[in-house]
Amino acid sequence: MTRPASQAIAVFDIDGVLRDVSGSYRRALADTVEAFTQGKYRPSVEEIDWLKREGCWNNDWEASQELVLRYFEGQGTARQEVALDYSSVVRFFQSRYRGPNPDNPDYWTGYIADEPILARRGYFESLTQSGVAWGFFSGATQGSARFILERRIGLSAPILVAMEDAPGKPDPTGLFSVAESLFNQHQLAAPTPVVYVGDTVADMQTAVAAAQQRCDRIWLGVGVLPPHVRQQGTAYAADYAQALRQAGGIAVLDEVEQLTPDRIWALVSAAVTDEGH
């Protein structure tokens, strides 16, 4: 199969795709909920996944707050009566995730320091060599995302839109921004198809929303099963994958590096053919 230069843009989510956050972000989320329910409730892996499937809880600070409120609602207390300060939720979460010095990456000793990395720098180099432009759109903060991309993976100043830079997913504004930056940086031919790679329902919905709002190019959502899902067993993984497909994912992979340049080209070619019909 002949592959033209710069035939596609690949934009990646980070959490659950490039790093395993089951023992970090998700652990910090569970710690936070447990702390703000006075030790009465700690959400399970499945309960966090079910919340994420609603598609509007990509921000783990907000997800923590929501689970606390739902717990008290279940105890008969209206959420507006719960004395819960959001800034306190964020501070506690960050103290667990980043550690006691949350504002200085040189001293981050929290859960972030031990996150397993799911993609190598060589993978991104292979995309570049094959003419695929790439960047990142993540609900993580700039500091957390760059800590992983630059310090842990070894990428040099990659294009990144993070939590502070755009509305939360499934709003596609951040995806548009990354795609436009890559389009200009690499002087790509218009309209270059965009593949957005993520691990949540919100990620797939983001690609669908992009296609609805910007029909001048092809936008494809590709799902990746995060490690904690695969560890739950075949049936759980199949159910999770089905949820990603129902949310708009055109393919679901076990890990991100399975999205090779050839796989990207095959997905793009199929989409172009379908659009032609």
Side-chain angles (χ1 to χ4, degrees):
M1 179 182 295
T2 301
R3 187 191 304 117
S6 301
Q7 86 286 353
I9 289 172
V11 181
F12 298 86
D13 180 36
I14 295 174
D15 302 336
V17 176
L18 304 184
R19 61 178 168 187
D20 181 358
V21 296
S22 57
S24 56
Y25 264 126
R26 284 170 172 263
R27 183 180 175 189
L29 190 161
D31 288 353
T32 303
V33 174
E34 185 174 39
F36 284 87
T37 58
Q38 293 77 52
K40 299 294 182 57
Y41 170 54
R42 184 178 181 87
S44 67
V45 168
E46 295 86 353
E47 287 170 324
I48 295 172
D49 280 343
W50 278 110
L51 181 74
K52 296 284 188 177
R53 287 192 190 191
E54 294 178 13
C56 55
W57 304 110
N58 194 65
N59 182 318
D60 284 333
W61 301 337
E62 295 176 354
S64 300
Q65 176 180 252
E66 180 63 17
L67 285 176
V68 171
L69 292 173
R70 292 187 187 188
Y71 166 78
F72 283 109
E73 284 180 325
Q75 302 302 306
T77 302
R79 62 173 53 207
Q80 60 268 26
E81 297 176 4
V82 179
L84 184 63
D85 176 55
Y86 181 68
S87 62
S88 296
V89 170
V90 172
R91 282 195 300 273
F92 183 90
F93 186 105
Q94 294 296 77
S95 73
R96 295 303 178 96
Y97 181 64
R98 292 184 176 182
N101 296 289
D103 298 324
N104 189 338
D106 291 332
Y107 296 97
W108 284 354
T109 57
Y111 301 152
I112 190 174
D114 299 318
E115 289 173 329
I117 301 302
L118 306 176
R120 301 158 300 146
R121 183 176 66 179
Y123 168 69
F124 296 101
E125 292 172 348
S126 74
L127 295 181
T128 299
Q129 292 165 3
S130 298
V132 179
W134 47 269
F136 305 93
F137 173 38
S138 171
T141 63
Q142 275 279 342
S144 171
R146 291 205 178 274
F147 183 86
I148 295 302
L149 296 176
E150 298 177 359
R151 297 194 181 207
R152 299 289 307 280
I153 298 179
L155 304 178
S156 178
I159 289 177
L160 165 69
V161 170
M163 178 193 291
E164 306 94 322
D165 310 317
K169 294 177 276 189
D171 188 307
T173 301
L175 181 58
F176 293 150
S177 178
V178 176
E180 192 64 25
S181 294
L182 291 168
F183 180 84
N184 293 329
Q185 182 184 72
H186 297 280
Q187 299 183 325
L188 304 180
T192 307
V194 178
V195 177
Y196 185 46
V197 189
D199 70 315
T200 66
V201 164
D203 293 328
M204 300 303 98
Q205 291 175 338
T206 299
V208 171
Q212 293 170 342
Q213 294 182 30
R214 299 274 183 91
C215 56
D216 59 321
R217 71 173 70 197
I218 291 171
W219 304 85
L220 305 175
V222 172
V224 174
L225 296 179
H228 79 272
V229 167
R230 289 184 275 118
Q231 293 165 5
Q232 291 290 100
T234 303
Y236 192 86
D239 183 60
Y240 194 98
Q242 181 62 20
L244 294 180
R245 293 189 184 94
Q246 289 175 343
I250 64 166
V252 179
L253 309 176
D254 286 339
E255 54 189 46
V256 68
E257 290 196 11
Q258 291 178 350
L259 189 65
T260 62
D262 283 339
R263 187 70 178 271
I264 291 173
W265 178 230
L267 292 171
V268 167
S269 295
V272 169
T273 299
D274 289 343
E275 190 175 72
H277 291 165

